[in-house]
Amino acid sequence: MDIISETKNKIKNVLSELGYKDDLILIHFSSRPELGQFQYNGAMQIAKSMRLNPREIAKNIVEKLNKYDCFEKLNIAGPGFINISFNSNYLINYLNEIQNDISINIKKYPNKKIIIDYGGPNVAKALHVGHLRSSNIGEALKRLACLVGNDVIGDVHLGDIGRQSGMIIYGIKEKFPELVYFDDKYTDKYPERLPITNEDIEKIYPEISLRAKNDEEIMKEVRNITAELDRGNKGYNSLWNYIKQVSIENIKRTFDKINVSFELWEGESDSYQYIDKVINLLKSQNCLEESEGAYVVYVQKEDDKFEIPPLIVLKSDGTSLYATRELATAYSRVERFNPDEIWYVVDSRQSMYFTQVFRTLYKSGIVDNKTKLEFIGFGTMNGKDGKPFKTRDGGVMKLETLLDEIKKESNEYLKKENIKESEKEEIANKVSVATLKYADLLPNREKDYVFELKRFSSLEGKTGPYIIYSCIRIKSLLEKSGENDYKIVNIYSKTEKDIITKILQMPIVIDSSYRNKTLSDITEYLYELDSLYNKFYSENRILTESNKDKRKSWLAISQLVFKVNKLLLDTLAIEIPEKM
Ligand code: ARG
């Protein structure tokens, strides 16, 4: 069991012996490190509910806790903060144990089934930085949720049908009107291949989108094609399926580059088969109302402080919308997987829409109260002008372009003599992904942030390169040492103690990160841990240390630091290159 849970259990025993009640025993990092490694602040709470003196309560708790020989010092500060230090023997044993299996140092939760909807790329449109954020955050949250003991299914929820489909088909029809897809009388099999590449497809969308904005005729035809697709027009659908296939191959390649993968590759269109059921349910629950020709669900509640508009569920012509497919997707998820929770990792600007959707799902009973729906919004990645990140010529920043720019910066790290030509590509890729992901996961999830290429690529400060470079250095130290029995014999200095305390904090960091669904706790923690370690590294000559026990202990600490880094970087989906 992790050291924090173990300590909580001890406190729990003591509280029950004393007849005190604290349902949520929380252990914090100590705000006064000189007094202890950790802090328990429950005495104040208990005192309040029992109308007693908090210091008195803290004193009683400490008295009882002293029977455990794991504590070196239990200190009461201020109105009743209990500062906790563990004794060295206990720590050394514990650390040597987690050396063999670092996962002991993770608090596990009761297993739940969680579906995470993230990524959300759109077929036939380029992946942009918004999708990048959803992918980075979603992938890391998925790994984190697994780490603490859940069963997790990641669903990419492709935007694989909608207005963009109509635009692309319009564009193709205009250029190649003779294609059989556009021949109503055609009854044979449609061709398997077409000379259309992903680049062609990505060019068509912005062109037609712009023209349609200025030309009502084009827009009308685009709408018409989109509606026909929705109604199942064979030619259009089979052309669209071909385009989808080309586009998805490309999306998969890009996701692969940033270590993002999904258990389910489903899209909006997979929900078509559930739409009738959903509409029937909405009707039978009296949720559906006609409004200006369309069908809507009213979701405003009496005690709402602001207006929540109704959710439009069907267009006047009976065709589906984004929201219809949203409801049908939720229906299918519940029916097929019966999840405890569904998380939606989507740009915060869609928060109102998800309020409408969640309310509709609960109101109609499509989802019942057993399943928790959670919106996990995130801020935008901005350019220096404070507006969503654009290319130099003002276009949408494609994920691929951004990766290329970062890769150019990473060339700095390929100059070392020991790096062979053949290794450079892989190293550059890993460094750029680390740069991008670490930067993207560093700010609080909900905050907008400015992407600063130079700063994020630097080897100094809170950056991906700093973290992975620290890891590479430890790894190389361990390899050179020839050590194969990593055991801490003794703790010799304050810096070592500080590193150890940091290592012990890992369960708290993982726990808070999981509860708040923010990765920034982990990125910040990695920086703190590695900075401490690097200080230690520069203070000591580890490899040439003549005191055998010291050398052994130092190497063991080094390996622990590496293992903690590796575990957390894996969680963030960041790989450590062999060299840089
Ligand atoms: N495809 C959408 C977009 O690009 C994101 C999908 C988010 N997920 C969802 N279930 N609506 O904005």
Side-chain angles (χ1 to χ4, degrees), residues 390-403:
K390 293 261 157 55
T391 54
R392 270 187 212 101
D393 54 18
V396 176
M397 177 59 98
K398 291 208 294 184
L399 173 53
E400 304 257 47
T401 318
L402 180 63
L403 269 173

Side-chain angles (χ1 to χ4, degrees), residues 183-200:
D183 178 359
D184 288 340
K185 298 197 189 70
Y186 188 77
T187 48
D188 266 0
K189 261 186 78 187
Y190 289 101
E192 300 256 307
R193 297 205 63 78
L194 269 176
I196 298 176
T197 64
N198 191 60
E199 281 81 71
D200 301 331

Side-chain angles (χ1 to χ4, degrees), residues 91-338:
L91 279 186
I92 290 171
N93 283 336
Y94 180 75
L95 291 166
N96 288 336
E97 206 177 312
I98 62 173
Q99 184 79 264
N100 297 325
D101 179 6
I102 191 92
S103 70
I104 307 170
N105 201 24
I106 298 169
K107 179 186 159 191
K108 299 277 180 197
Y109 277 77
N111 170 283
K112 278 193 212 145
K113 187 183 279 175
I114 304 173
I115 296 181
I116 311 188
D117 178 318
Y118 69 103
N122 298 315
V123 165
K125 286 194 197 168
L127 267 131
H128 57 68
V129 294
H131 298 122
L132 168 75
R133 295 220 72 199
S134 174
S135 309
N136 281 345
I137 296 169
E139 180 71 28
L141 287 179
K142 184 175 84 182
R143 294 178 183 213
L144 182 61
C146 274
L147 193 66
V148 300
N150 299 293
D151 286 333
V152 192
I153 302 172
D155 183 1
V156 65
H157 197 67
L158 280 170
D160 61 352
I161 195 80
R163 183 69 55 81
Q164 87 265 30
S165 330
M167 301 236 176
I168 301 284
I169 293 177
Y170 177 90
I172 295 179
K173 195 173 180 179
E174 188 178 55
K175 277 200 192 81
F176 311 102
E178 70 287 354
L179 287 178
V180 290
Y181 303 99
F182 309 122
D183 178 359
D184 288 340
K185 298 197 189 70
Y186 188 77
T187 48
D188 266 0
K189 261 186 78 187
Y190 289 101
E192 300 256 307
R193 297 205 63 78
L194 269 176
I196 298 176
T197 64
N198 191 60
E199 281 81 71
D200 301 331
I201 298 170
E202 282 184 5
K203 261 185 232 135
I204 298 176
Y205 175 75
E207 184 208 314
I208 304 297
S209 162
L210 189 71
R211 280 173 52 205
K213 252 187 219 142
N214 303 315
D215 187 335
E216 188 42 42
E217 275 308 301
I218 298 182
M219 191 53 110
K220 228 172 104 189
E221 183 56 14
V222 166
R223 273 201 212 104
N224 186 27
I225 297 175
T226 314
E228 278 297 306
L229 257 174
D230 196 83
R231 292 193 193 102
N233 177 305
K234 277 220 176 81
Y236 289 166
N237 272 292
S238 104
L239 175 57
W240 180 243
N241 279 338
Y242 177 78
I243 294 164
K244 235 169 94 171
Q245 201 187 311
V246 174
S247 176
I248 289 174
E249 273 167 28
N250 186 65
I251 292 173
K252 282 193 174 159
R253 258 198 305 277
T254 312
F255 276 144
D256 218 36
K257 283 189 190 163
I258 55 169
N259 311 326
V260 170
S261 66
F262 298 90
E263 286 63 37
L264 279 184
W265 268 89
E266 296 191 358
E268 290 178 41
S269 73
D270 290 296
S271 72
Y272 271 106
Q273 49 184 314
Y274 301 96
I275 289 184
D276 283 348
K277 287 191 183 148
V278 161
I279 299 297
N280 287 338
L281 248 171
L282 288 169
K283 279 186 187 150
S284 71
Q285 298 300 312
N286 290 327
C287 294
L288 212 53
E289 291 178 52
E290 217 176 325
S291 163
E292 295 169 32
Y295 287 96
V296 304
V297 177
Y298 287 95
V299 290
Q300 182 91 46
K301 289 181 184 165
E302 254 171 39
D303 49 1
D304 284 336
K305 301 229 161 36
F306 43 84
E307 195 199 329
I308 306 205
L311 184 70
I312 307 179
V313 167
L314 274 183
K315 283 193 231 170
S316 48
D317 62 2
T319 54
S320 70
L321 298 105
Y322 183 52
T324 329
R325 301 186 286 270
E326 193 80 73
L327 302 178
T329 303
Y331 180 98
S332 126
R333 285 173 179 162
V334 170
E335 178 162 288
R336 291 153 63 209
F337 302 106
N338 188 24

